[in-house]
Amino acid sequence: MAILTHALPPRAARLAAIAGLSLSLLALAGCANQTASSSVYTYGQAQQEQIVRYGTVVSVRPVVIQSDKSSGVGALGGAALGGVAGSAIGGGRGQILTSIGGALLGGLAGNAIENQVGKTNGLEITVRLDNGETRVIAQAADVALSSGQRVQVISGGGPTRVVPM
């Protein structure tokens, strides 16, 4: 086992710590799992009674499902990495300005990446229920549905799902 006998310079140690923290935060952000799939139930939704209605698909339209909650980790991680990268440029006041500029640009880029990751291809499904009512449900595009197809509309105690029969 090798033992380090020399310490990193304070600036390098600080940069390494900031980079490590930023990468850890980004990794944790990837653990957040939001889904609009008709096949996924949360633990709290399991073993809950659901209401099943039957109907026929009238139309299916592709949509994009966008997460409405931003954790801020993308912006924070991007700002930290941008600040670290900017601090490596220049010296004195110039280094301060490049650090600030890097943090701002990194924050914007990190936020944009997090927003892009929060998008899912979805379907807007219009269903005419057997009782004559019409319902529209948006869900992830992970189950093939088409006009005229018989489906079950499952609801109660959580999201409404459309599943083929």
Side-chain angles (χ1 to χ4, degrees):
M1 171 185 272
I3 298 175
L4 293 176
T5 57
H6 65 281
L8 290 173
R11 182 168 181 238
R14 191 175 10 197
L15 293 176
I18 291 171
L21 178 62
S22 299
L23 291 174
S24 298
L25 289 172
L26 289 173
L28 283 175
C31 295
N33 184 16
Q34 293 184 353
T35 181
S37 172
S38 64
S39 302
V40 176
Y41 286 81
T42 66
Y43 187 80
Q45 293 167 344
Q47 296 184 328
Q48 297 294 320
E49 181 180 19
Q50 303 286 307
I51 297 167
V52 179
R53 295 172 288 170
Y54 297 95
T56 303
V57 175
V58 175
S59 66
V60 179
R61 176 174 85 94
V63 295
V64 174
I65 299 171
Q66 171 74 46
S67 175
D68 59 347
K69 297 176 183 163
S70 175
S71 68
V73 173
L76 219 62
L81 290 175
V84 169
S87 70
I89 300 171
R93 288 184 187 208
Q95 186 178 29
I96 293 170
L97 292 175
T98 56
S99 296
I100 293 169
L104 289 172
L105 291 175
L108 290 172
N111 188 54
I113 290 168
E114 183 178 5
N115 287 339
Q116 203 56 31
V117 169
K119 290 183 179 179
T120 303
N121 289 329
L123 298 173
E124 180 186 84
I125 308 148
T126 303
V127 178
R128 168 114 348 125
L129 299 173
D130 289 350
N131 67 4
E133 295 178 354
T134 301
R135 299 284 188 246
V136 176
I137 298 99
Q139 66 187 34
D142 61 342
V143 176
L145 296 167
S146 58
S147 292
Q149 185 175 6
R150 293 286 293 163
V151 293
Q152 294 179 339
V153 178
I154 303 169
S155 60
T160 298
R161 298 169 167 86
V162 178
V163 296
M165 292 181 59

